[in-house]
Amino acid sequence: MSKIGFIGLGIMGRPMAGHLLDAGHDVTTVEHRKPLPQELADKGAQVVASPKAVAEVSEIVITMVPDTPDVEAVLFGENGVVEGLKPGTLVIDMSSIAPLATQDFAKRIHDAGGEYVDAPVSGGEGGAINAALTIMVGGTKEGFERALPLFEVMGKTITHIGGHGDGQTCKVANQIVVALTIEAVSEGLLFASKAGADVAKVRESLLGGLAQSKILDVHGERMINRTFEPGFKVHLHQKDLNLALEGARSLNLSLPGTANAQQLFQACAAHGGEEWDHSGMLKALEALANHEVNR
């Protein structure tokens, strides 16, 4: 079993760390905005004062924090991971951040004597709770093989995409597809509702045809039941689409659908919906239509 540092115990990180504890690993973390969740304390998780202290007692350090600046602060800020890094320590970033920054972080960890793997995830809160995440991995073959046993505890579909940053590139592509599919499902259900059809039966029928998708299944049900408590928050999806649009500009690439989805998320935020689940994009489209989807 490994000595693992896990930094970032939010909606996703909490169950992921729990699975590692259940598998018999030692897990050390650092308190940030909230105390250590009791269920993790009951399983034996330990708390230390800083990311530096986490690294000092760990063979592997996993980060699962919101954005690129957060990862940089945890790794390279005052009392950051790099200050406590031991030779050969594996650093696994499972956050969703900028691919180019990831390449820089990998070089800096390598220069400090460690190994770096970027491994963002997809599957939302349910995937994290059920250890069924999709994990998209960038890094060396050796780094991937060291990390794989831990990934198998937390996820179901695990793919070594390529070199450093390629996992993050894959995640950005994932978020483009997810956002546009949420928009498509929202518009389809909104159309059906406005036309007077039973949207629950419409969704049921669509799940049997070519329009079937995990978004239609999970988020379509959320939309019909109007349960917008977050599994993945609007403001986090906005952050991911910003990465996509910034990357597209650097590549001289047009992503009009992505830009439109970002504007719809911005409309959600403008109505106080930054903390809604991203399926709440439906509300922005309902406002434009002056119609609420009926059950």
Side-chain angles (χ1 to χ4, degrees):
M1 295 295 103
S2 300
K3 295 182 183 297
I4 300 170
F6 200 109
I7 301 173
L9 300 176
I11 289 174
M12 303 288 288
R14 179 185 299 187
M16 292 164 68
H19 294 314
L20 294 171
L21 286 160
D22 290 339
H25 297 288
D26 293 331
V27 173
T28 301
T29 189
V30 57
E31 288 189 0
H32 184 40
R33 295 185 179 91
K34 298 179 180 178
L36 178 69
Q38 188 60 47
E39 68 265 29
L40 299 185
D42 291 343
K43 293 178 180 182
Q46 301 296 311
V47 177
V48 293
S50 67
K52 174 185 176 182
V54 169
E56 288 173 339
V57 299
S58 303
E59 303 164 296
I60 300 169
V61 176
I62 297 173
T63 54
M64 186 62 176
V65 295
D67 204 349
T68 307
D70 302 300
V71 176
E72 185 168 25
V74 164
L75 295 182
F76 307 110
E78 184 178 358
N79 290 316
V81 165
V82 75
E83 294 184 20
L85 201 69
K86 300 187 298 291
T89 298
L90 175 63
V91 176
I92 305 171
D93 179 37
M94 303 189 77
S95 319
S96 296
I97 67 169
L100 287 178
T102 293
Q103 294 172 10
D104 175 62
F105 297 166
K107 182 179 185 303
R108 292 163 73 179
I109 291 295
H110 181 268
D111 290 346
E115 177 76 54
Y116 189 94
V117 168
D118 53 290
V121 303
S122 181
E125 183 181 13
I129 291 171
N130 296 316
L133 293 168
T134 293
I135 305 176
M136 314 159 206
V137 188
T140 65
K141 182 175 181 291
E142 294 74 19
F144 172 72
E145 290 176 349
R146 283 184 65 188
L148 183 58
L150 304 185
F151 294 155
E152 290 173 337
V153 170
M154 297 180 283
K156 186 175 181 181
T157 302
I158 303 155
T159 307
H160 185 195
I161 305 298
H164 295 119
D166 287 349
Q168 296 294 353
T169 295
C170 184
K171 178 58 187 288
V172 170
N174 177 84
Q175 296 302 82
I176 292 171
V177 173
V178 169
L180 270 64
T181 308
I182 290 174
E183 182 179 354
V185 170
S186 297
E187 291 190 9
L189 296 182
L190 183 60
F191 171 80
S193 178
K194 183 77 171 180
D198 183 325
V199 290
K201 290 183 178 178
V202 169
R203 171 181 166 274
E204 181 182 349
S205 180
L206 294 178
L207 284 170
L210 191 59
Q212 193 279 333
S213 71
K214 189 68 174 282
I215 300 296
L216 177 62
D217 183 9
V218 175
H219 289 332
E221 184 175 30
R222 281 180 178 268
M223 293 169 187
I224 292 169
N225 293 333
R226 308 199 70 76
T227 52
F228 298 116
E229 294 78 15
F232 189 75
K233 296 177 181 180
V234 163
H235 75 87
L236 292 176
H237 211 143
Q238 284 184 284
K239 176 261 298 183
D240 291 339
L241 295 191
N242 280 336
L243 295 176
L245 295 169
E246 290 165 6
R249 280 192 292 272
S250 70
L251 294 168
N252 196 26
L253 177 67
S254 176
L255 298 177
T258 303
N260 189 59
Q262 182 70 303
Q263 287 299 307
L264 290 169
F265 281 137
Q266 184 58 42
C268 292
H271 285 82
E274 288 189 343
E275 300 291 313
W276 296 344
D277 184 80
H278 55 172
S279 59
M281 182 192 286
L282 172 68
K283 292 187 177 184
L285 289 161
E286 288 176 332
L288 290 172
N290 194 28
H291 177 82
E292 185 175 295
V293 168
N294 299 310
R295 296 184 64 176

